Each structure stands twice: as structure tokens, then as C-alpha cells.
Amino acid sequence: MNRNLPADLTTKERLYHIIFESDTREGKNFDVALLIAILLSVLTVMLESVSSIVREYGALIRSTEWFFTVIFTIEYFLRIYCARNRKGYILSFYGMVDLISIIPTYLSLIVVGTQYVLMIRILRLLRVFRVLKLYHFLGEAEILSRALRQSAAKITVFLGAVVTLIFIVGSMMYLIEGPENGFTSIPVSIYWAIVTLTTVGYGDIAPQTIAGQMLASIVMIMGYGIIAVPTGIVSVELSKADIKNKKSRVSLNASSKQFCKPQEIKWEKIQQKAK
């Protein structure tokens, strides 16, 4: 349940609770309004990339974009003003995202097209976990992050082997097909090998000879197997991380009970003496 802000707070303390906290009615309303503004600003940037809409409503879209940029700029400096650790906020992940989300609009006055980088504002929606109190999702994200870190070495070795295979297959296809069949160089052949091995298959380049088609068939079949390898690696590490997290919770609960039991016994003795 959201509480009201105390009346005896200074302006700076009041701003801090509204902007950085979400356990008050004012703070919750601010965060919800901020999330809506972020969504509307991202929608504005998306509409600006549609030429038919820009021709008719270009001035309105640019004005709206500047309106949101000014709002977010004021919000950013208010965060710096009322933050308890200003340097910590500025150098934090959210602080960097808040800054980067306003720079492109000002930069677009010098470099045309940089306003589309404003799509990075979508990262600010990560605050929805704090606003809606979805902290258990953050715990699950930490487990996933830990699993990815643990499997990084295995995946790096695997990717190294895949890159080596791509270079070999690309070179072989260049020798088999040659420029007359569209494989004009080894880099082009490597591009084909990447597209085929990942089972994307754009179809802009295709082998014409029987030998080339046989090699392509082998590469396609290998592609399905290669996709499954990193999935298995991450799944194993994710399972290990989940088990480790559950064990730590069990041990924490056990230690908590051991601490509480002597306190309960002591309280019972005090009550007996009082009787």
C-alpha cells in the first residue's frame, strides 16, 4: 500500500522520494507518468521514420520529440540535484541511459539522423520492475546472468570452432562454384556460408553445381546441430545456477530458524520468571 509523503520534508528530500522511490503515492504517480512519456517518445521516433507520416505531420512530430527531450532533460538534472550520491547516479547504468536518451536530439542539430538513436530510451522502461515491485523477476534475471557468465568460456570455444568452419566452407565453395556462379570472392562465399550455416538462407546466392549443392546440404544439416549446442550449454549452467540459488535459500532459512530459536527460549524463560 502506498503511503503519503511526510509534510516535514525539505524540497530536496521530497524530490528524492518522488523521483527515486516508488513506495509513496506521489512517487508511484511520477513513475507511471514517466513510463507513459517514455513509450510516447519512442512511438514519436518510430513515426518520424515513416516518410508518408513525416510529409504530413513532420512539424508536429519534431515538436513532440523536442517536448519530450526537454522534459527528460529537466528530469535528469533533477535526479542529479536530489540524488544522495550524485556521482554514483551519474556513473550508474540508469544514469548513463538517462543521459544517452537525451543527447541524440541535441546532437541532431549538428549531425542529421542521430535523433533515431533515441530508441535507446526504451531501456528506461526497465524501471517498470521497480515501479510494479517485480523484484522476483530481477532475481531470475540474476540467475540467467550468472549462467551466461559460467558458460562464456565454453561458448567462446564453440564460436571459435564455428568461425573456423565457416572460413573453410566458404573457401571450398569458392573453389567449387567460382565467380561464374555468383561466388565472386572468398568473402562473398564466407557470407553465403554464414547465411547457410545459421539456417537463414536468403537465397540471393545459391550453388549451381552438384558438388556445391552436396556441400550446401551438409552445411544446412550441420546448422541445425550447431544451433542446439549453445542452447544445451546455457541450459546446463542455468540448471546449476538455479540449484545453487535454491540451496542458498534453504541454508539462509535454516540459519534464520537457528537464530530465532534461542531468542524464543529466552523469551519463554522471562515469561516464566514473571509468573
Side-chain angles (χ1 to χ4, degrees):
M1 185 175 179
N2 296 321
R3 57 186 177 83
N4 292 322
L5 281 172
D8 57 344
L9 292 176
T10 63
T11 303
K12 188 174 181 180
E13 290 173 338
R14 182 176 291 273
L15 282 173
Y16 174 82
H17 282 284
I18 292 174
I19 295 176
F20 282 99
E21 303 292 342
S22 60
D23 57 344
T24 61
R25 184 174 288 104
E26 293 85 348
K28 184 71 174 290
N29 292 337
F30 173 83
D31 286 335
V32 171
L34 179 63
L35 293 177
I36 293 172
I38 292 168
L39 286 172
L40 291 176
S41 68
V42 170
L43 178 62
T44 302
V45 176
M46 292 171 63
L47 291 176
E48 191 178 2
S49 65
V50 182
S51 56
S52 59
I53 295 177
V54 171
R55 281 195 298 268
E56 194 166 348
Y57 304 102
L60 176 62
I61 289 174
R62 281 186 286 273
S63 300
T64 306
E65 186 179 303
W66 273 104
F67 169 76
F68 284 120
T69 299
V70 171
I71 293 296
F72 292 145
T73 303
I74 294 171
E75 180 226 347
Y76 176 70
F77 284 106
L78 282 176
R79 285 182 182 274
I80 294 175
Y81 166 72
C82 66
R84 291 172 179 172
N85 183 1
R86 293 181 180 177
K87 186 178 179 181
Y89 164 70
I90 293 172
L91 299 178
S92 67
F93 170 76
Y94 285 116
M96 297 298 290
V97 170
D98 291 344
L99 176 62
I100 295 172
S101 66
I102 61 176
I103 287 178
T105 306
Y106 298 107
L107 196 60
S108 66
L109 297 173
I110 304 171
V111 183
V112 178
T114 53
Q115 69 270 21
Y116 298 118
V117 185
L118 287 173
M119 289 297 292
I120 200 172
R121 282 178 182 168
I122 202 73
L123 288 175
R124 302 193 68 196
L125 291 177
L126 291 174
R127 285 191 171 92
V128 73
F129 292 102
R130 178 177 63 85
V131 176
L132 300 180
K133 302 187 185 304
L134 303 176
Y135 297 113
H136 56 285
F137 283 97
L138 297 177
E140 298 300 324
E142 175 59 29
I143 293 174
L144 179 60
S145 176
R146 192 185 309 143
L148 290 173
R149 288 195 300 269
Q150 293 295 329
S151 57
K154 300 183 185 71
I155 292 177
T156 301
V157 173
F158 168 75
L159 290 177
V162 171
V163 170
T164 304
L165 179 63
I166 285 170
F167 274 84
I168 294 172
V169 171
S171 302
M172 289 176 63
M173 188 58 76
Y174 174 71
L175 292 173
I176 294 171
E177 294 292 328
E180 62 273 11
N181 291 323
F183 294 82
T184 55
S185 64
I186 290 180
V188 172
S189 302
I190 289 173
Y191 157 77
W192 171 88
I194 293 171
V195 170
T196 306
L197 194 65
T198 55
T199 68
V200 175
Y202 288 125
D204 52 345
I205 306 173
Q208 303 300 320
T209 64
I210 294 176
Q213 290 171 355
M214 289 178 64
L215 178 60
S217 300
I218 295 170
V219 173
M220 290 178 208
I221 294 171
M222 289 176 60
Y224 283 105
I226 286 173
I227 290 172
V229 173
T231 305
I233 293 172
V234 175
S235 297
V236 169
E237 294 298 334
L238 189 60
S239 177
K240 289 180 180 178
D242 192 34
I243 291 171
K244 187 176 180 181
N245 184 59
K246 287 179 180 177
K247 285 183 178 178
S248 63
R249 286 180 181 176
V250 170
S251 61
L252 182 64
N253 290 335
S255 61
S256 176
K257 288 179 180 178
Q258 289 176 358
F259 173 78
C260 293
K261 193 171 182 180
Q263 301 298 324
E264 291 174 0
I265 294 172
K266 187 176 180 180
W267 176 247
E268 287 176 0
K269 289 182 178 180
I270 293 172
Q271 286 182 323
Q272 289 175 358
K273 287 182 180 180
K275 292 178 181 179

